[in-house]
Amino acid sequence: MMNKNKIIYPGTFDPITYGHSNIISRAANLFDEVVVAVAESSKKQPFFSLEQRINLAQEVTKNIPQVSVIKFDCMLVDLAHQLNAKIILRGLRAVSDFEYEVQLSGMNHQIAPDIETIFISASQEHAFVSSSLVREMASIGGDVSQFIDPKVQIALKQELLKKKC
Ligand code: COA
């Protein structure tokens, strides 16, 4: 039986930002279960390892009981079927997200017509955040405290130091 109260929020989360956690907490107000699905995304050659991305997502969402964090490296619609979830959630920040998101949800719907994608638009203060810009800013010593959780900041600093050595 498909679970109508469960929603999957997939992404690379490299790392999770306040933009992501804002979407997650808003989804948790609407659904009984929000599954944050961290994609392996090996094609993107993520900066953080999959384990680190999962740990940080867990840390940031630990106070929201409806949220669980899992990893996946299969087709998103297959994951939805495995979890008996009917709905995929994506965040929309700017018009520029729209084209890719329509493509992604369209392809997914074509392969699995029983799965729907819904969108939450990012709130104004998070409309321009992206993980790669946060990493870039941090790598040149910029203050990223308004974009990411303090625990994520520490992890980012440590990882940048490690990669510099
Ligand atoms: N706040 C802040 N940043 C946000 C955001 C928000 N609300 N929403 C998206 N972003 C940013 C991310 O930080 C990321 O930034 P970056 O590229 O600068 O690092 C960017 O938007 C997009 O990343 P993300 O949301 O993580 O999505 P993604 O495009 O990396 O992930 C998957 C896409 C994982 C959902 C998709 O590749 C997938 O489904 N993969 C599984 C395989 C599959 O089924 N493929 C077929 C699809 S048809």
Side-chain angles (χ1 to χ4, degrees), residues 136-153:
E136 190 180 324
M137 224 182 250
S139 74
I140 50 174
D143 177 6
V144 289
S145 57
Q146 57 182 307
F147 305 119
I148 52 176
D149 184 273
K151 295 247 166 60
V152 181
Q153 273 185 69

Side-chain angles (χ1 to χ4, degrees), residues 11-12 17 19-20 44 75-76 90 93 100 129-132:
T12 306
T17 66
H20 295 123
K44 270 188 139 179
M75 294 287 292
L76 184 53
R90 294 285 289 169
R93 290 161 302 168
Y100 173 64
V129 187
S130 97
S131 301
S132 55

Side-chain angles (χ1 to χ4, degrees), residues 33-37 58 61 64-70:
E33 270 187 84
V34 180
V35 181
V36 175
Q58 273 168 342
T61 58
I64 317 174
Q66 300 96 311
V67 175
S68 58
V69 181
I70 60 164

Side-chain angles (χ1 to χ4, degrees), residues 9-24 37-41 44 72-79 88-93 97 100-101 103-109 111 120-123 126-135 147:
Y9 182 46
T12 306
F13 303 105
D14 189 29
I16 188 163
T17 66
Y18 283 147
H20 295 123
S21 48
N22 175 257
I23 302 275
I24 294 167
V38 182
E40 176 101 59
S41 294
K44 270 188 139 179
F72 78 108
D73 60 359
C74 59
M75 294 287 292
L76 184 53
V77 290
D78 290 343
L79 177 76
I88 292 167
L89 169 66
R90 294 285 289 169
L92 276 182
R93 290 161 302 168
D97 280 345
Y100 173 64
E101 293 301 335
Q103 234 176 345
L104 192 68
S105 62
M107 290 266 285
N108 283 333
H109 194 67
I111 316 165
I120 290 183
S121 60
S123 50
H126 301 117
F128 304 103
V129 187
S130 97
S131 301
S132 55
L133 283 180
V134 166
R135 293 196 310 269
F147 305 119

Side-chain angles (χ1 to χ4, degrees), residues 37-67:
V38 182
E40 176 101 59
S41 294
S42 37
K43 256 192 166 168
K44 270 188 139 179
Q45 298 191 307
F47 178 80
F48 285 102
S49 73
L50 182 58
E51 277 61 39
Q52 285 172 310
R53 286 180 279 136
I54 287 170
N55 289 341
L56 292 173
Q58 273 168 342
E59 187 57 45
V60 168
T61 58
K62 69 177 179 208
N63 293 326
I64 317 174
Q66 300 96 311
V67 175

